[in-house]
Amino acid sequence: MAEEITFDDRDGFIWMDGALVPWRAANVHVLTHALHYASSVFEGVRAYEGTIFELSRHSRRLRESARLLGFELPWSVEAIDAACIETLAANGLKDAYVRPVAWRGSEQMGVSAIRTRPHLAIACWAWGSYFDPDAAGLRLDIAPWRRPPPYCAPVQAKASGHYMIATMSKHHAEGRGFHDALMFDHRGQVAEATAANIFFVKDGALHTPTADCFLDGITRQTVIGLARRRGIAVVERAIWPEELEGFEQCFLTGSAAEIVGVASIGPWSFEPGDLGRQMRKDYADLVRGRLAAG
């Protein structure tokens, strides 16, 4: 069996603070504030056939996420866009995953980080499907952890610290033989998967939880727009676990996950259907330029 290539030992280039550096030289100090206190934000973006989908929206969200965590990035949206495009080209990639990440540096140690400098890096690599389910779809466990209320954290920031709960929940699910986990929110309502938003189908309409305590994903917003273009009703509302047995179909959305069907969540099962398949096709056509942006 070939040895797996880790993410620190690869050929290629990573953009760091204004310049491309060799992949293996893209390092930060062990006393970087972000490593100790989670003062970092990031984006996950996909490139299709050389075009990075919704790049500027992701760059704007990166800057806004940093602002919500209390630090301003000195790079404009246009500069971040250009750096992403430069990095993709430098690595000779057309279909790829692009990961911008911004963080507080090592100029100060302690909870306070006023004197730290902001940093920005951009990496990209070839990455196939985030999930590898069988044809029946994903099997989701119920996470033992919940999404916190918005008065406990800046929930609309794509902040690294938010993902600690997701990692623990995903590991718990995988240890029990599931692909991923459904997370409830602080009220006990359906929220999202560990790194993807969730949609359900009932009577020809899409139902999705209101994004008031978790990230309103760009792919989520895109799918809502695609559905409405087709005249499909989209209902954003509170969804309680006991409602899950009444839904016919279920799928997850995310820049990494794209759109992937769900076969079961805990004791509840779902069937593949035309509406879910149509959303997957429309999304694939949109990101690859076969469908005009609405």
Side-chain angles (χ1 to χ4, degrees):
M1 181 180 295
E3 184 177 353
E4 184 178 356
I5 300 175
T6 63
F7 277 86
D8 61 334
D9 186 20
R10 298 182 175 212
D11 296 328
F13 298 92
I14 291 176
W15 190 97
M16 289 191 72
D17 289 345
L20 290 167
V21 299
W23 191 290
R24 294 175 181 84
N27 301 312
V28 297
H29 196 273
V30 70
L31 293 182
T32 294
H33 193 273
L35 179 62
H36 296 258
Y37 298 102
S39 53
S40 63
V41 297
F42 69 97
E43 282 296 321
V45 202
R46 278 198 184 267
Y48 299 90
E49 300 173 12
T51 299
I52 304 175
F53 182 65
E54 293 285 18
L55 176 55
S56 293
R57 287 179 71 183
H58 284 278
S59 297
R60 281 193 295 272
R61 189 172 67 182
L62 183 73
R63 284 179 49 84
E64 177 63 10
S65 292
R67 188 194 66 78
L68 288 169
L69 263 64
F71 64 104
E72 297 287 337
L73 298 184
W75 298 275
S76 66
V77 169
E78 294 76 16
I80 297 170
D81 286 355
C84 290
I85 294 167
E86 180 183 8
T87 307
L88 189 71
N91 287 283
L93 295 170
K94 296 291 186 181
D95 290 280
Y97 185 77
V98 183
R99 169 54 59 88
V101 57
W103 68 95
R104 291 184 181 272
S106 55
E107 295 80 15
Q108 182 179 4
M109 180 49 60
V111 172
S112 178
I114 299 300
R115 297 195 304 276
T116 57
R117 288 178 47 231
H119 298 268
L120 174 64
I122 300 163
C124 57
W125 60 90
W127 198 15
S129 298
Y130 181 73
F131 291 107
D132 187 24
D134 57 30
L138 299 177
R139 296 175 56 250
L140 271 57
D141 196 9
I142 303 297
W145 304 95
R146 294 188 175 189
R147 280 289 172 216
Y151 48 79
C152 285
V155 295
Q156 289 305 324
K158 194 170 177 66
S160 301
H162 295 335
Y163 287 81
M164 176 192 69
I165 305 171
T167 295
M168 294 190 299
S169 296
K170 190 169 180 67
H171 286 176
H172 180 267
E174 290 176 336
R176 287 157 48 87
F178 293 87
H179 296 103
D180 199 16
L182 174 67
M183 303 186 72
F184 297 152
D185 67 15
H186 59 287
R187 298 161 295 206
Q189 297 171 2
V190 172
E192 60 176 350
T194 60
N197 294 129
I198 193 163
F199 286 82
F200 302 95
V201 177
K202 184 176 182 179
D203 297 331
L206 287 179
H207 297 253
T208 189
T210 303
D212 59 0
C213 66
F214 56 87
L215 193 69
D216 182 6
I218 290 173
T219 308
R220 176 184 185 273
Q221 297 170 37
T222 300
V223 167
I224 289 172
L226 287 170
R228 288 176 173 159
R229 283 171 65 175
R230 285 194 169 273
I232 297 167
V234 180
V235 185
E236 298 181 74
R237 64 179 180 86
I239 298 175
W240 292 94
E242 55 265 30
E243 296 183 67
L244 296 186
E245 64 181 347
F247 292 122
E248 302 147 15
Q249 302 170 47
C250 178
F251 58 86
L252 303 182
T253 66
S255 294
E258 299 173 290
I259 300 179
V260 59
V262 173
S264 64
I265 301 174
W268 301 289
S269 297
F270 309 94
E271 295 292 335
D274 290 342
L275 199 158
R277 283 189 285 266
Q278 187 66 63
M279 290 296 96
R280 285 193 292 276
K281 181 181 184 303
D282 284 355
Y283 185 76
D285 287 345
L286 179 66
V287 299
R288 294 193 176 276
R290 298 188 294 263
L291 178 66

